[in-house]
Amino acid sequence: MRAENVKKTFDGLQVLRGITLEILPGDVAALVGPSGSGKTTFLRCLNFLARADEGTLTFDGVTYDLKKIRKKEIAKIRLETAFVFQSFNLFSNKTALDNVAAGLRYARKVPKKEAYERALAALTKVGLKDWAGHYPHQLSGGQQQRVAIARAIVTEPKIIYFDEPTSALDPELTQEVLAVIRELAEEGMTMLVVTHEMSFARNVANRVIFMEGGYVVEDGTPEEIFEHPKEQRTREFLQGFKEKPGKEETDGAMI
C-alpha cells in the first residue's frame, strides 16, 4: 500500500498537508504523534471513512485518485482491508460470534456454516472461544476489542488499520489487547497502528512514523526513532516517554 500527497481540510483547517507513506507486506508500522497531528484522519482517509481532498492510493498494484475514487472501487479495496476502531463498534444485539461472522456472511456472501466456523476459529485465536455466545454488554472492554480484532482477521485482509485500539481501556485490559496484536505481528500480519503506547511502538513495531501538524516528521526503525532521532521535534516528543527498566522488561513481558 502506498499513499501519496494525501491532503485533507476540515472547516478551513488543513489537517493533512501532503502525507506520503508506503507500507510494505509484513510491516507493523506504529503511527505516533501528539493529539491533533492528523494520525486518525490519515487512517480514515486510507479506508474511505473520510474522503481526502487530494492524493493517490496504490493498493494491490492499482493506483486510485482518493478524491475521485468510485464507490465500487472503495468496496473492492475494503474487501482486502480491515479497520479496528478505538470504540469497538460491535453490534449490541449480536453475540460475539455473530459480530465476527457478519462481514463474511453479508459483505462477502460466505455460506453460513463456513462463516461461523471461520468466526469461531478467529475468536479462538484471540482467546475468546468460550465467550462466543456472549453479547457485547456481557464482555469487558478488552474482550470487546478482541472481538473487534477477531472480526478484522477473519476476513484474512492484506492490511489491518488500528485506530488507537487501547485508548478506551484501563492498563490491565490494554495489555491483553496488545498481546493479541503482538501475536499477529509475529505471524507477519501487515498493520498500520495509530497508538500512544510507546512501549508497543518500540518493542513490537518494525517501523515508527512520527506525525505532527499534518506532516510525517520522521520515519524509521524503532531503534532509529527512539535512540537516534534525526529531528529535534521527534526528540522533544519522545522525551516524556523514556522507559524505565522494570520487571516487565527483564522478564520479556513488556509489550
Side-chain angles (χ1 to χ4, degrees):
M1 183 279 290
R2 177 178 173 82
E4 192 159 358
N5 196 37
V6 180
K7 297 180 180 179
K8 178 65 178 176
T9 298
F10 286 113
D11 298 326
L13 176 65
Q14 192 170 12
V15 180
L16 301 178
R17 300 172 179 269
I19 302 292
T20 294
L21 184 66
E22 184 171 15
I23 303 297
L24 301 175
D27 269 349
V28 179
L31 194 56
V32 304
S35 297
S37 58
K39 305 183 300 296
T40 290
T41 298
F42 178 60
L43 214 62
R44 292 175 68 85
C45 285
L46 292 179
N47 206 42
F48 310 100
L49 296 169
R51 184 64 68 96
D53 301 323
E54 189 176 330
T56 62
L57 175 68
T58 301
F59 189 88
D60 213 13
V62 181
T63 299
Y64 304 89
D65 185 317
L66 289 174
K67 184 177 181 180
K68 299 178 181 178
I69 189 168
R70 296 175 295 175
K71 290 183 178 179
K72 182 169 67 174
E73 294 170 325
I74 291 173
K76 180 181 178 181
I77 293 172
R78 282 180 170 168
L79 287 175
E80 302 289 346
T81 66
F83 198 104
V84 176
F85 300 85
Q86 56 183 288
S87 55
F88 319 138
N89 277 32
L90 301 177
F91 295 112
S92 61
N93 63 335
K94 294 182 181 294
T95 65
L97 187 63
D98 289 330
N99 266 282
V100 177
L104 294 176
R105 294 187 61 196
Y106 304 116
R108 293 165 176 79
K109 308 302 181 185
V110 173
K112 183 177 180 180
K113 183 175 185 294
E114 180 186 344
Y116 278 101
E117 287 175 349
R118 288 171 60 179
L120 186 59
L123 284 172
T124 301
K125 187 177 185 64
V126 300
L128 291 177
K129 178 181 179 181
D130 293 340
W131 297 83
H134 288 66
Y135 290 86
H137 74 272
Q138 298 172 309
L139 303 174
S140 70
Q143 289 171 325
Q144 289 184 62
Q145 192 61 293
R146 283 190 281 156
V147 172
I149 294 173
R151 180 179 58 188
I153 64 175
V154 76
T155 61
E156 300 178 352
K158 293 183 176 176
I159 186 171
I160 302 178
Y161 302 113
F162 289 85
D163 182 18
E164 298 188 29
T166 61
S167 66
L169 306 176
D170 64 35
E172 184 175 1
L173 298 181
T174 289
Q175 293 308 308
E176 69 180 46
V177 170
L178 290 179
V180 171
I181 299 175
R182 168 175 238 164
E183 182 178 339
L184 295 178
E186 291 172 349
E187 294 175 357
M189 174 64 72
T190 305
M191 297 181 279
L192 179 57
V193 187
V194 171
T195 184
H196 290 293
E197 297 289 337
M198 293 301 110
S199 57
F200 167 84
R202 186 168 192 163
N203 298 311
V204 179
N206 72 305
R207 285 175 64 190
V208 179
I209 301 149
F210 173 57
M211 278 184 64
E212 186 177 53
Y215 294 102
V216 170
V217 176
E218 195 161 352
D219 179 358
T221 66
E223 182 180 5
E224 289 169 341
I225 298 299
F226 284 95
E227 301 297 334
H228 310 288
K230 297 177 182 177
E231 302 298 328
Q232 177 63 27
R233 185 62 190 100
T234 310
R235 290 193 289 270
E236 292 171 353
F237 175 75
L238 293 174
Q239 194 62 41
F241 296 101
K242 295 296 183 182
E243 292 181 347
K244 297 179 180 179
K247 182 179 183 301
E248 292 87 353
E249 289 184 87
T250 57
D251 67 9
M254 174 63 81
I255 293 176

